Amino acid sequence: MHFISGLMTQRVPFIVTELGPDIDPFMLHIHAAVAEKERNRIAQRVTPLAGQTTRAIAKALNDRGIATPRGGRWQPPQVMRLLDRLGL
């Protein structure tokens, strides 16, 4: 969110595919805040699992009914990419 806010301050134009080219800056800020909150929620769910294998983490997420961002089931490679993005 801080990154997006900095770009907005510099008046960098944004085109958000889901919201169109004329997105209101306030709405862009809201979407950035929601995305940051979701990232933090994912990190909280995954962090306790960081000491396990990616196979065990995928199984735990699937057993808990936590779907992937696209609504599917977790696979070890997806878990590995997520852990890399979160720096875990």
Side-chain angles (χ1 to χ4, degrees):
M1 190 169 92
H2 179 72
F3 178 72
I4 298 292
S5 294
L7 293 175
M8 290 172 70
T9 300
Q10 296 176 14
R11 300 192 182 274
V12 172
F14 286 88
I15 297 175
V16 180
T17 56
E18 291 182 14
L19 305 172
D22 298 323
I23 184 169
D24 176 41
F26 176 75
M27 290 304 297
L28 180 61
H29 190 77
I30 294 296
H31 283 274
V34 170
E36 182 178 46
K37 178 69 173 176
E38 181 61 18
R39 180 195 170 281
N40 291 335
R41 291 178 67 210
I42 290 169
Q44 288 174 350
R45 290 191 304 251
V46 176
T47 300
L49 304 172
Q52 299 180 25
T53 67
T54 56
R55 183 180 307 277
I57 294 170
K59 181 179 179 334
L61 290 169
N62 291 327
D63 289 349
R64 293 179 186 179
I66 299 171
T68 65
R70 294 186 179 178
R73 293 183 52 80
W74 288 95
Q75 300 296 324
Q78 293 168 301
V79 172
M80 186 178 298
R81 285 191 299 271
L82 179 61
L83 292 173
D84 285 343
R85 273 189 256 147
L86 295 173
L88 300 173

